[in-house]
């Protein structure tokens, strides 16, 4: 059985898929560990030896981190930022002076030219302390103007904007709209070229743009006129550099969230904003690809930030589990709490391993990291949410109490409540977990799609299918039997010592995953794209196998550097054991599950057939007239340019 969406939505769904496909990076210029793993080829050489930061680069990072740490401790009060919804002006100026806004800008344009590893070390530290400050900095340079300019800007654009950004001009990235979240095909913002071709006129509304209300320079995605190829319309999305002083640009509303109270995030209106053609980034129609490629490295900040948060959580959970006594012993001595501590610490080791592995891969430029970055984002953001929640649980009632309230009654002001609120957004921004799983699944299937894609597409003529089947048949005749061979028996990987058995398991599971992908393709064919839960299980298996490999490689690196300390081995081993159980469970559920019946049940619920379940609640009408409150207004007291250093 295949799960097709209702017919009426088919056209829109098709358009959305076509746009997403057209914006994919199609080439694999460098190897990818995960792309290989999903094809049944476990290639440890793509991860081992674990990338090591050079001592010069480490020294640069160490010096910077020392300054950042003292600045944070002396000048930044994260609870005050949370309470007042403001990062004070002097804090932002201080961060600009320290260089925090130019970490990723190349030195030739006035930046610090940090490696991804050093940038992420700084972001991990800041995130462990103040989520709002970290997101402010990250929106500016992980996805804001410096990154796409560096990757796709012309030399003129780089010379014009990067020095300004290095001096403190703040930037943002505006893709989302009220109707455009995960699906950019629905974009309404337009950029219309003028008849003389010298300018574009931008009209539209962008939503939830982080830093938008205080930005000097914003990368805006907008629709440019469609192209017609073979009589078919091809939608074009393009990226533009927009400056806040351009007439017609207006901040409509400052948004307020569950957490990250100090960020400046808003609804931005573009009313006939005239942008010179020189401000088009890359080429017309390349905007979505630019956004996706920017996010491939931009996404690496989130794993670092999440690792930083979980480090802070572990510290608070460890101290409290030793200090708090209930039922005659420290709560950490009760098995239920001890298990949480063990899982938190071993998963944190995996999170860190993935973070530094992917950051190191990005620095070498020798790997295609689109899959690894997405996997790192998925794994670390979900783990961070889980473990901030577990920290609240370990703290008991105090976990639910604000730091201000704890401080006021003379208790240790652990900010767990704030951290939980701040952590929640990470599985939503920069690609929701659900979209990350679909993105990873698409890339994981790419090897098969290249070989057998035409067989799976419904509208391909039978003649083409037959040619494709013949070619694919030859390949699969050699490939498929290999996926069953018992190649991973002792003494393979024996040089990995205690990790040998885990390495054998990863290798075996890689082939088992590949043959299951193949079975799923054969069974569901074109309908596979709608089997989201099946695909999610495959992706989650890949995530655990990736995290296991990264953890083993990292533990071996640490052991080589310091043979007396065997604690990394214990952490990696514990993580591998937990992951092995999860992977085995997911394999069992691949084709033996309740997906179909749950889907049918959800359809009934969504049609309203079980509305009686909602009986007995207050019948509230949640629709609202637009009311502008003092809270929602953009901050007039602090004009948008307030934190920009004098430029030019
Ligand atoms: C604090 C904050 C900061 C942000 N900063 C920025 C920014 O700086 N710039 C910017 O452009 N945007 C920004 N965003 C927007 C953010 O990127 C979007 O919220 C995100 O892309 C998801 O879009 P959405 O909220 O409209 O959810 P939707 O796309 O409407 O999704 C709703 C739910 O449906 C699921 N879903 C959607 N499509 C599918 C599918 N095909 N299959 C399965 N499940 C699906 C999603 O996973 C999600 O669970 C920010 C948002 C917030 C809250």
């Amino acid at each position: 059985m295949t799960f097709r969406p209702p017919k009426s939505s088919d056209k829109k769904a098709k358009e959305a898929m076509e746009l997403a496909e057209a914006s994919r990076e199609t080439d694999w210029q460098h190897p990818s560990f995960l792309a290989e793993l999903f094809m049944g080829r476990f290639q440890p050489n793509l991860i081992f030896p674990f990338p090591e930061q050079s001592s010069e680069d480490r020294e640069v990072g160490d010096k910077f981190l020392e300054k950042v740490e003292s600045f944070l401790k002396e000048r930044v009060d994260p609870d005050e930022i949370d309470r007042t919804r403001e990062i004070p002006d002097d804090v932002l100026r201080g961060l600009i002076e320290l260089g925090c806004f130019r970490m990723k800008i190349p030195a030739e344009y006035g930046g610090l030219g940090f490696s991804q590893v050093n940038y992420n070390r700084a972001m991990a530290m800041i995130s462990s302390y103040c989520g709002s400050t970290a997101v402010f900095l990250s929106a500016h340079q992980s996805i804001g103007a410096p990154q796409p300019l560096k990757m796709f800007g012309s030399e003129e654009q780089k010379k014009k904007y990067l020095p300004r950004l290095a001096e403190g001009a703040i930037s943002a990235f505006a893709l989302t709209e009220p109707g455009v979240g995960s699906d950019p095909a629905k974009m309404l913002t337009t950029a219309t070229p003028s008849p003389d071709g010298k300018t574009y006129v931008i009209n539209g509304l962008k939503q939830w743009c982080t830093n938008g209300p205080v930005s000097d320079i914003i990368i805006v995605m907008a629709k440019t006129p469609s192209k017609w190829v073979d009589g078919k319309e091809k939608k074009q999305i393009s990226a533009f550099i927009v400056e806040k002083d351009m007439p017609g640009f207006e901040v409509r509303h400052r948004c307020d969230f569950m957490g990250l109270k100090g960020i400046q995030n808003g609804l931005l209106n573009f009313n006939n904003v005239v942008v010179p053609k020189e401000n088009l980034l890359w080429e017309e129609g390349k905007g979505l690809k630019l956004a996706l490629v920017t996010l491939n490295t931009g996404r690496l900040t989130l794993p670092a930030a999440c690792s930083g948060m979980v480090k802070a959580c572990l510290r608070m959970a460890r101290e409290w589990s030793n200090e708090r006594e209930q039922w005659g012993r420290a709560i950490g001595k009760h098995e239920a709490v001890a298990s949480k501590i063990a899982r938190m610490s071993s998963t944190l080791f995996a999170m860190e391993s993935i973070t530094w592995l992917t950051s190191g891969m990005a620095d070498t430029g020798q790997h295609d990291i689109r899959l690894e970055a997405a996997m790192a984002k998925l794994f670390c953001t979900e783990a961070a949410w889980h473990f901030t929640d577990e920290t609240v649980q370990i703290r008991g009632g105090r976990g639910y109490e604000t730091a201000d309230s704890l401080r006021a009654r003379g208790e240790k002001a652990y900010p767990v409540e704030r951290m939980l609120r701040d952590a929640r957004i990470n599985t939503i921004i920069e690609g929701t977990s659900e979209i990350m799983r679909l993105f990873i699944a698409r890339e994981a299937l790419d090897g098969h799609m290249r070989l057998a894609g035409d067989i799976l597409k419904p509208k391909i003529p039978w003649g083409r299918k037959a040619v494709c089947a013949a070619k694919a048949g030859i390949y699969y005749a050699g490939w498929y039997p290999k996926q069953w061979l018992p190649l991973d028996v002792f003494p393979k990987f024996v040089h990995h010592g205690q990790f040998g058995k885990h390495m054998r398991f990863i290798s075996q599971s890689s082939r088992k995953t590949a043959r299951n992908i193949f079975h799923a393709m054969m069974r569901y064919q074109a309908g596979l794209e709608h089997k989201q839960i099946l695909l999610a299980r495959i992706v989650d298996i890949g995530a655990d196998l990736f995290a296991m490999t990264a953890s083993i490689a990292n533990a071996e690196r640490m052991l080589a550097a310091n043979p007396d300390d065997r604690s990394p081995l214990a952490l990696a081993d514990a993580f591998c054991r937990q992951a092995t159980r999860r992977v085995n469970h997911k394999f069992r559920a691949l084709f033996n599950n309740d997906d179909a019946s749950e889907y049918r049940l959800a359809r009934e619920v969504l049609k309203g057939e079980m509305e009686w379940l909602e009986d007995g609640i207050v019948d509230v009408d949640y629709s609202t007239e637009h009311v502008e409150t003092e809270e929602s207004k953009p901050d007039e007291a602090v004009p948008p340019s307030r934190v920009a250093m004098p430029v030019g």
Side-chain angles (χ1 to χ4, degrees):
M1 158 167 191
T2 58
F3 299 145
R4 304 281 315 158
K7 280 273 179 254
S8 60
S9 70
D10 266 11
K11 190 165 170 276
K12 285 186 199 158
K14 194 165 164 259
E15 268 178 27
M17 286 304 289
E18 278 175 5
L19 185 65
E21 269 301 305
S23 309
R24 272 189 67 239
E25 275 182 275
T26 45
D27 296 337
W28 294 85
Q29 285 173 353
H30 296 290
S32 154
F33 172 80
L34 276 166
E36 292 295 311
L37 185 110
F38 285 121
M39 284 300 284
R41 298 186 287 258
F42 174 48
Q43 303 220 355
N45 60 311
L46 293 175
I47 287 191
F48 290 79
F50 196 87
E52 188 82 63
Q53 191 179 18
S54 73
S55 50
E56 301 81 53
D57 197 46
R58 172 161 283 280
E59 207 177 307
V60 170
D62 287 349
K63 279 190 188 147
F64 186 72
L65 256 60
E66 211 176 294
K67 284 194 273 181
V68 170
E69 188 179 4
S70 23
F71 179 84
L72 291 173
K73 280 160 78 174
E74 284 160 26
R75 305 264 300 275
V76 183
D77 180 345
D79 294 319
E80 189 192 5
I81 290 173
D82 187 61
R83 195 184 323 120
T84 60
R85 293 177 71 221
E86 279 303 332
I87 301 181
D89 223 6
D90 68 299
V91 168
L92 288 172
R93 275 182 197 285
L95 290 167
I96 291 170
E97 280 158 19
L98 262 180
C100 289
F101 279 81
R102 59 193 161 106
M103 289 185 267
K104 282 192 94 179
I105 297 175
E108 64 204 280
Y109 300 103
L112 296 179
F114 271 6
S115 61
Q116 187 71 36
V117 171
N118 276 341
Y119 173 67
N120 275 352
R121 288 175 67 198
M123 293 310 292
M125 173 180 276
I126 298 166
S127 306
S128 73
Y129 188 70
C130 178
S132 293
T133 305
V135 170
F136 208 114
L137 294 170
S138 171
H140 168 70
Q141 55 203 321
S142 299
I143 54 169
Q147 186 68 13
L149 263 173
K150 209 166 68 174
M151 297 175 86
F152 303 105
S154 65
E155 199 44 48
E156 290 74 44
Q157 288 171 334
K158 287 183 197 171
K159 279 192 183 135
K160 181 170 176 190
Y161 288 107
L162 287 176
R164 273 180 66 187
L165 291 158
E167 284 171 40
I170 289 175
S171 77
F173 177 87
L175 172 67
T176 305
E177 297 179 7
V180 177
S182 310
D183 171 12
K186 293 174 80 185
M187 187 171 287
L188 292 181
T189 299
T190 52
T192 312
S194 61
D196 63 6
K198 289 187 177 157
T199 56
Y200 290 86
V201 181
I202 301 188
N203 279 293
L205 194 62
K206 291 289 175 183
Q207 181 167 286
W208 294 329
C209 181
T210 306
N211 292 0
V214 293
S215 270
D216 301 279
I217 298 162
I218 306 167
I219 305 295
V220 179
M221 307 294 152
K223 268 196 318 185
T224 40
S226 295
K227 283 189 181 157
W228 292 84
V229 180
D230 300 332
K232 272 180 79 182
E233 185 185 5
K234 298 271 172 212
K235 283 195 179 168
Q236 305 288 299
I237 292 178
S238 307
F240 295 89
I241 307 166
V242 177
E243 300 202 36
K244 73 160 198 296
D245 299 331
M246 290 177 167
F249 169 71
E250 177 204 9
V251 179
R252 276 264 175 97
H253 168 87
R254 180 181 165 192
C255 305
D256 188 21
F257 299 105
M258 170 197 291
L260 299 178
K261 293 284 184 183
I263 61 169
Q264 290 278 347
N265 177 298
L267 194 63
L268 310 180
N269 191 40
F270 298 81
N271 183 14
N272 288 325
V273 177
V274 179
V275 178
K277 78 169 186 330
E278 292 72 28
N279 284 27
L280 170 71
L281 253 178
W282 205 2
E283 286 168 27
E284 251 191 46
K286 290 279 177 76
L288 201 55
K289 196 166 202 166
L290 172 142
L292 294 178
V293 176
T294 300
L295 279 170
N296 278 345
T297 39
R299 261 189 206 116
L300 294 177
T301 313
L302 277 172
C306 288
S307 302
M309 292 182 98
V310 176
K311 273 171 185 281
C313 283
L314 179 62
R315 176 165 180 190
M316 294 184 280
R318 178 177 56 78
E319 288 179 359
W320 185 244
S321 299
N322 282 326
E323 188 182 318
R324 175 73 167 169
E325 277 190 20
Q326 291 289 285
W327 303 88
R329 43 164 65 176
I331 56 169
K333 287 191 178 158
H334 295 295
E335 201 178 48
V337 176
S339 153
K340 292 185 201 300
I341 299 283
R343 281 173 181 260
M344 196 188 302
S345 49
S346 47
T347 310
L348 172 59
F349 185 75
M351 291 169 76
E352 281 228 279
S353 303
I354 290 181
T355 300
W356 305 124
L357 172 71
T358 47
S359 310
M361 282 174 162
D363 282 335
T364 67
Q366 296 303 309
H367 299 261
D368 189 314
I369 56 162
R370 76 187 92 154
L371 266 170
E372 286 74 8
M375 202 64 115
K377 193 269 175 189
L378 174 68
F379 182 88
C380 294
T381 55
E382 297 214 322
W385 169 242
H386 178 68
F387 289 113
T388 41
D389 184 40
E390 289 285 68
T391 310
V392 169
Q393 194 68 19
I394 291 173
R395 284 278 289 155
R398 287 166 178 82
Y400 195 64
E401 190 171 1
T402 66
D404 279 345
S405 173
L406 288 162
R407 196 178 290 112
R409 53 187 195 80
E411 289 220 22
K412 273 190 185 165
Y414 287 133
V416 182
E417 174 268 345
R418 167 170 57 79
M419 293 189 81
L420 181 87
R421 286 188 283 110
D422 287 353
R424 186 61 191 87
I425 192 59
N426 293 327
T427 60
I428 296 172
I429 47 171
E430 295 183 19
T432 64
S433 285
E434 291 76 15
I435 296 298
M436 283 294 92
R437 287 192 171 91
L438 295 180
F439 170 84
I440 293 166
R442 169 64 189 90
E443 297 299 337
L445 287 176
D446 197 45
H448 296 287
M449 294 295 283
R450 281 164 189 265
L451 281 162
D454 279 356
I455 310 173
L456 303 182
K457 290 176 201 151
K459 287 196 178 154
I460 298 287
W462 279 106
R464 237 171 89 187
K465 281 192 188 230
V467 174
C468 177
K471 280 190 192 154
I474 295 170
Y475 177 83
Y476 285 117
W479 177 86
Y480 184 72
K482 266 197 221 149
Q483 309 313 312
W484 288 95
L485 292 178
L487 300 173
D488 299 301
V489 287
F490 186 82
K492 198 170 175 196
F493 298 120
V494 74
H495 57 286
H496 286 283
Q498 74 179 95
F499 294 130
K501 65 174 184 297
H502 297 312
M503 294 291 281
R504 288 191 286 279
F505 176 78
I506 301 166
S507 186
Q508 264 166 27
S509 302
S510 160
R511 278 179 289 110
K512 191 167 175 182
T513 308
R515 61 180 193 257
N516 275 303
I517 292 176
F518 183 78
H519 296 160
M521 282 173 57
M522 293 300 105
R523 184 160 168 188
Y524 300 111
Q525 304 193 15
L528 182 58
E529 74 180 76
H530 303 295
K531 298 286 290 174
Q532 296 191 344
I533 307 298
L534 169 77
L535 293 172
R537 287 192 192 98
I538 291 173
V539 169
D540 289 347
I541 288 171
D544 265 327
L545 299 178
F546 178 47
M548 287 170 80
T549 318
S551 301
I552 294 171
N554 194 18
E556 289 184 355
R557 172 190 70 91
M558 293 175 79
L559 186 73
N562 185 4
D564 293 335
D565 184 2
R566 301 190 66 81
S567 55
L569 303 189
L571 290 168
D573 186 56
F575 177 77
C576 287
R577 285 165 188 274
Q578 295 152 22
T580 298
R581 284 183 208 286
R582 279 194 296 267
V583 167
N584 283 332
H585 172 73
K586 291 250 153 71
F587 273 134
R588 277 195 295 277
L590 272 182
F591 296 104
N592 179 10
N593 52 57
D594 302 317
D595 298 352
S597 61
E598 283 181 1
Y599 189 79
R600 280 194 296 274
L601 177 63
R603 295 297 314 147
E604 283 169 34
V605 171
L606 290 169
K607 275 190 225 150
E609 285 169 17
M610 296 176 192
E611 259 184 40
W612 54 265
L613 260 176
E614 296 154 27
D615 281 354
I617 58 173
V618 178
D619 188 13
V620 183
D621 177 3
Y622 291 105
S623 52
T624 43
E625 297 280 317
H626 172 71
V627 185
E628 193 161 83
T629 62
E630 277 310 306
E631 283 281 277
S632 72
K633 271 194 218 160
D635 251 313
E636 279 168 53
V638 206
S641 60
R642 65 200 179 128
V643 291
M645 297 291 268
V647 179

